[in-house]
Amino acid sequence: MQKILKSHIGLFILLAALIAFPFAIAFLTGEPLNKGMPLFSQGLMIQVFILAVFALSYDILMGHTGILSFGHALFFGTGAYALGILVKYAQWSLPAAIFAVIVIAAVESFIIGVLSLRVHGVYFAMVTLAFATVAFILVEATDFKQWTGAEDGLHGIPIPDAISPTLHRTEFYFLSLAFAVAIFLLVKLFVDSPSGRVWAAIRENEARATSIGYNTLVFKVQATIISGIIAALAGALNAMWNQSATPLTMEVGTTINALLMAIIGGSGTIIGPMLGAGVLQLLGYFLNLWLGSVWQLVFGLIYILLVLFVPYGIVGTWRVKQYDWQAAWKARIGKWTAK
C-alpha cells in the first residue's frame, strides 16, 4: 500500500485537489456552491472530465495500439444520440439506456473494426472518416428529424432530478469525477493486462507481432470495441450534461480535438490525454475570455511551440527528461550552496 501511495503520489494529490475544488472556490469567493463562480467553475470542470474520458478512449487506439482514426467522433455522437432517443422517446430508464449505449457501441465498433482494420495507416483513418461522415449526414438529415432534431439537434433529454446538472450541479460534478476516475482505472487495467502488452507489440511492430503467432486483427478489433464503448459513454454523459445531442458531437472537429488532447498531454501515457483535455479546455476558455475572436490563432501558436519543445507531450516529456532535469537542478543547487 505504501509503495502504491509513493509511486502514485502525484495522482492522489490531483484527485484530492479535484475533490476539494468546488469547496475551495466557494470558500475563496464567499459564494454558495450552487451560485455564481462556484457553480460556473464546476460546470467548466465537468466538461473537462467528459473530454478527458473521450481523449483517453481515443488514445487506446492511437497511443497504445498505434491506430490512427479520423472517425472517433462517431462513437461519441452515438452515445449521445442513443441515450437521448431512448430516454426521451422510448421512455427508458437512465440505467437501461446506458446499458443499451454500451451494447450499441460494442456492436458498432465491432462492425467498423472488422470492416476497416484490414487496411492500415492512412487508409484506415480515411475509412473511419467515411463512417463518421455518413453518421453525421444521417443525424442532420430531415428524414429523421422527429428523432434526431436534424440540424437543430435533439434537445430536452429528461434527466432524473437527483443527478440533474441544473438542479444538483455539485452532485453531477462528483458523478463526472467518479466516472473519469473509474475509466482511468479501467483503462490502466486493460493496458497492463496481457492483451495490453499485445497492443503495445502491434504499435511497435505489427509484422513482428504477427510473426510470433498473434492474430493482430483480433487484438485491434478488441481495442476498437473497448475504445468505442468508452467514447460512447463519454458521449452519453455529455448528453446528460447538456440535456441535448447535436450533430457537432459527430463532426470531424470533435475527433481532431481528441487527437490534440492526446498529443498535448502525452500519447500512450494514460493520464496524459486526460491532462491534455484539461489544458485544451481551460486554456481555450481563458484565451477566449482574454483575447476574444483571435484566441484560436494564439492557441495554434502555443500548440506549435508545445510540439517543438515538448515533443512527447507534457507527461511523456516529463517521463523522458525528468532524470536529466533533476540532475541539472541538483548540480545547480550544489553550486549555489558551495558558494
Side-chain angles (χ1 to χ4, degrees):
M1 186 66 184
Q2 192 175 5
K3 188 178 178 182
I4 294 175
L5 283 172
K6 188 176 180 181
S7 59
H8 297 88
I9 186 66
L11 294 178
F12 284 110
I13 291 173
L14 176 61
L15 179 59
L18 291 173
I19 291 172
F21 177 76
F23 307 103
I25 297 296
F27 176 77
L28 292 172
T29 60
E31 296 178 301
L33 281 171
N34 59 351
K35 291 186 184 301
M37 182 54 71
L39 185 73
F40 173 77
S41 57
Q42 288 172 58
L44 196 60
M45 291 305 296
I46 287 168
Q47 294 173 62
V48 170
F49 299 148
I50 294 170
L51 290 175
V53 172
F54 181 51
L56 186 54
S57 74
Y58 185 80
D59 203 48
I60 290 175
L61 293 180
M62 188 179 76
H64 297 285
T65 320
I67 300 171
L68 181 65
S69 169
F70 285 160
H72 204 61
L74 168 62
F75 304 120
F76 189 75
T78 295
Y81 275 98
L83 182 125
I85 291 171
L86 290 173
V87 171
K88 183 173 182 178
Y89 296 117
Q91 308 290 318
W92 284 29
S93 67
L94 192 61
I98 290 174
F99 180 74
V101 165
I102 294 173
V103 174
I104 292 169
V107 173
E108 182 183 49
S109 51
F110 172 77
I111 293 172
I112 291 176
V114 169
L115 294 178
S116 309
L117 286 167
R118 296 181 186 281
V119 294
H120 303 272
V122 69
Y123 299 104
F124 173 80
M126 298 312 294
V127 171
T128 55
L129 177 62
F131 276 114
T133 303
V134 169
F136 178 75
I137 292 171
L138 287 176
V139 296
E140 273 208 327
T142 53
D143 308 74
F144 309 107
K145 187 170 184 177
Q146 61 175 325
W147 302 104
T148 64
E151 291 181 351
D152 298 330
L154 172 62
H155 297 280
I157 298 172
I159 304 298
D161 288 347
I163 56 169
S164 168
T166 307
L167 301 174
H168 300 284
R169 179 69 56 85
T170 305
E171 285 81 350
F172 199 86
Y173 173 90
F174 284 109
L175 173 69
S176 305
L177 175 60
F179 173 65
V181 172
I183 294 297
F184 170 82
L185 294 174
L186 189 65
V187 171
K188 183 166 176 51
L189 191 67
F190 281 129
V191 170
D192 291 339
S193 70
S195 292
R197 307 293 183 197
V198 180
W199 295 352
I202 294 170
R203 178 193 64 203
E204 298 300 324
N205 192 328
E206 185 174 351
R208 180 173 295 177
T210 304
S211 69
I212 59 178
Y214 290 113
N215 186 336
T216 57
L217 177 63
V218 170
F219 287 95
K220 288 195 292 186
V221 171
Q222 178 194 54
T224 304
I225 292 172
I226 293 170
S227 172
I229 291 173
I230 293 174
L233 288 173
L237 189 64
N238 189 60
M240 291 167 61
W241 160 243
N242 291 303
Q243 298 182 35
S244 66
T246 67
L248 286 175
T249 57
M250 288 201 182
E251 265 198 340
V252 67
T254 304
T255 300
I256 298 300
N257 281 340
L259 176 64
L260 288 177
M261 293 174 219
I263 292 175
I264 290 172
S267 184
T269 59
I270 303 181
I271 191 63
M274 304 184 88
L275 188 62
V279 171
L280 188 70
Q281 183 70 12
L282 298 179
L283 187 61
Y285 168 75
F286 285 111
L287 287 178
N288 187 26
L289 187 68
W290 296 330
L291 304 175
S293 60
V294 299
W295 77 270
Q296 289 182 319
L297 174 63
V298 176
F299 184 83
L301 294 174
I302 293 173
Y303 176 71
I304 291 171
L305 292 174
L306 281 172
V307 171
L308 288 175
F309 296 103
V310 192
Y312 305 108
I314 297 170
V315 176
T317 303
W318 166 251
R319 289 180 180 175
V320 171
K321 301 283 188 181
Q322 62 174 320
Y323 297 111
D324 293 340
W325 290 342
Q326 288 172 356
W329 273 105
K330 284 180 181 177
R332 192 170 299 172
I333 292 171
K335 285 183 181 179
W336 290 342
T337 55
K339 288 181 180 177

